[in-house]
Amino acid sequence: MVALVVLAALATAGVMMGSKPLSAHTVGDALFRFDPSDTEHLVIRSLRLPRTVVGLLAGAALGLAGAVMQGVARNALADPGVLGVNSGAALFVVAGINFFGVTSLSGYVWFGLAGAAVSAAVVYAVGSMGASGATPLKLVLAGTATTAVLTSATQAVLLLNVSAFDQFRFWQVGSLAGRDEAVAWQGAPFVVAGAVLALALGRSLNLLALGDDTARALGQRVVRVRLAAALAVVLLSGTATAMAGPIGFVGLAVPHVARMLTGADHRWLLPYSMVLAPVLVLLADLVGRLVIRPTEVQVGIVTAAIGAPVLIAMVRSRKGAAL
């Protein structure tokens, strides 16, 4: 409940604050008595409100994706970056810019989602080779190798096209700036579908945490759970990355914070991660907007600056070391 209140406060502050602070009265008028000729109303409806909605969606998606990844891989360091999802999305976005002339963020969504799906499928196929199937260690190793290959391919494409590099570098740092209503509408169905699927996996992830053999003995279909988890991660992480760029530390750090509050039960860990992650994203976006006004620092840079010390402190703490 406290996290929900904080999230609502940050969302409100995100709409009101920026290079030019606006009053709550102006925000209310823009939402319920919109005047297209009023510049402040246009700023709220076309810039700040979509930006806040994209931050909520991307944050919730990244938090859930990180919690599902850590659960299915039984690895506290698993996140979309480690398992190749971000690098696949990045490669497809660069390919979209370079080969298809995509210039809009709404176009990035589709390429990013396709790239995340392809890279996840490749990682799972490679990690499933051999008699033991898709073990957590093999998935992490396959994800690391796939990330290296895809990152090299992305750099190769960027070196061939300076124009593509100029567009890509603003997307790559992770930012909510300039995200319009179309980006939010295009991403929302995928985030909702991924969230429903991820939240339904709570009990299955609890059983998977006991080990594959124990989970099978208790009637769990391990392969089916892993495939469902992979689909949820692709929908969540791929869409979030396409909407806002690769925002680091959210999917990695937030599930650890949620785990310290709820314990290891995924039926609670998943929804807590879904609420706490957008708190971090919106807070980072707000800090980035205010710290060097009138310009701003991209949210991906601020989450790294906030998330890294918090993660180190948790790892050094007694609870963090026990994760």
Side-chain angles (χ1 to χ4, degrees), residues 3-56:
L4 286 173
V5 173
V6 173
L7 182 59
L10 285 171
T12 304
V15 177
M16 294 175 58
M17 303 180 73
S19 57
K20 179 183 179 183
L22 299 173
S23 67
H25 177 72
T26 303
V27 173
D29 284 346
L31 294 179
F32 302 109
R33 293 180 289 277
F34 177 61
D35 180 1
S37 64
D38 190 315
T39 304
E40 292 181 340
H41 287 194
L42 286 173
V43 168
I44 292 171
R45 291 289 288 265
S46 61
L47 296 178
R48 293 188 183 177
L49 189 60
R51 178 178 185 152
T52 301
V53 173
V54 170
L56 286 168

Side-chain angles (χ1 to χ4, degrees), residues 261-287:
L261 297 173
T262 68
D265 189 341
H266 286 85
R267 291 173 297 179
W268 291 101
L269 175 62
L270 293 173
Y272 267 70
S273 297
M274 187 176 68
V275 174
L276 291 175
V279 169
L280 174 58
V281 172
L282 292 184
L283 177 62
D285 184 46
L286 202 57
V287 170

Side-chain angles (χ1 to χ4, degrees), residues 90-103 108 111 153-154 156-161 163-165 167:
L91 177 59
F92 271 58
V93 168
V94 169
I97 295 171
N98 190 55
F99 300 114
F100 299 97
V102 177
T103 58
Y108 294 173
F111 282 92
T154 301
V157 174
L158 292 175
L159 286 174
L160 295 174
N161 190 328
S163 172
F165 175 74
Q167 293 182 47

